[in-house]
Amino acid sequence: MKKGIASIIFLFGCLQLTAQWSLETTFTQYKEGKPVLNGRRSLFDSQDKYDSKNRLVEKIYLGTVTKGAKAMFEYNDKDQKVKETHFDSTGKVRTSKVFTYNSNGKVETVLFEWTDKSGDKRTGTEAYFYDDKNDLIHKTYTTSKGGLESEWFFENKKENGHKIVTTRHISKGKEQKPVVVEYNEKDLVIKEGSLNYE
């Protein structure tokens, strides 16, 4: 199961970072041999439900890759997400995440739980560390089976009024190519690696 989760995370990363990949499929519906509807549907389309505070509480997947799966979200009285549960198309829980926060309202830990192929329960924990400016500087990922598996180190700096974050990722002792992300004055991503955003 851990390999499956890693593959999904890698796939999402590739889809987000690779401009030529498309998350949409084009479809045409026909009636009596004539096209009546043209449109696009994302491979990961979803129907989202919100509560009275406009918080996402349920996501039902409609796309061709994830059809029938859903996710449920729970919040505390500070509107912080405290639990996320993912179900497959049969209604079986696949993964759950529990979030804790520090006194500044930043995520401190995320506890993952899933069942592997042999039926054993597995857990993983992400731990987040911040500097005195409340900027993320370090993140770790450990599992109940493999111990420390990944670490991320974040270098935060400002140039021309823009925040620039360089991320170094070390996975199982091997360092990956650093990723540089630049933000505008509104803290929105404008550049990620070789990709530019408007």
Side-chain angles (χ1 to χ4, degrees), residues 185-198:
E185 298 81 2
K186 295 181 179 179
D187 217 25
L188 299 172
V189 174
I190 56 172
K191 190 170 185 181
E192 185 172 2
S194 60
L195 299 177
N196 292 302
Y197 299 91
E198 293 182 8

Side-chain angles (χ1 to χ4, degrees), residues 29-155:
Q29 290 183 359
Y30 293 87
K31 185 175 183 181
E32 297 174 359
K34 296 180 182 178
V36 293
L37 177 65
N38 291 306
R40 292 181 180 274
R41 171 165 291 163
S42 165
L43 297 176
F44 300 96
D45 262 350
S46 65
Q47 176 184 349
D48 298 336
K49 295 182 180 178
Y50 297 84
D51 64 12
S52 59
K53 292 185 172 183
N54 205 29
R55 301 176 302 192
L56 178 65
V57 293
E58 185 177 18
K59 182 181 280 286
I60 300 171
Y61 294 97
L62 308 170
T64 54
V65 171
T66 54
K67 189 169 186 177
K70 73 175 182 178
M72 306 283 289
F73 307 90
E74 298 173 31
Y75 302 85
N76 62 18
D77 56 2
K78 295 179 181 176
D79 294 332
Q80 296 166 324
K81 181 169 61 174
V82 293
K83 189 169 185 185
E84 187 175 314
T85 308
H86 294 263
F87 303 84
D88 65 16
S89 58
T90 67
K92 182 178 178 182
V93 174
R94 303 306 300 170
T95 309
S96 67
K97 301 179 190 178
V98 176
F99 301 79
T100 64
Y101 297 84
N102 64 20
S103 59
N104 292 319
K106 295 277 194 174
V107 174
E108 195 167 50
T109 62
V110 181
L111 175 65
F112 299 82
E113 188 175 284
W114 69 94
T115 304
D116 67 16
K117 289 180 182 178
S118 64
D120 293 333
K121 290 255 187 208
R122 297 289 182 208
T123 60
T125 303
E126 284 181 348
Y128 295 77
F129 305 89
Y130 303 87
D131 63 16
D132 55 3
K133 296 177 184 173
N134 221 17
D135 288 327
L136 180 64
I137 56 171
H138 187 204
K139 181 174 86 167
T140 61
Y141 178 68
T142 58
T143 68
S144 55
K145 189 173 182 180
L148 178 64
E149 297 207 346
S150 285
E151 285 187 280
W152 293 261
F153 297 90
F154 305 91
E155 178 191 333

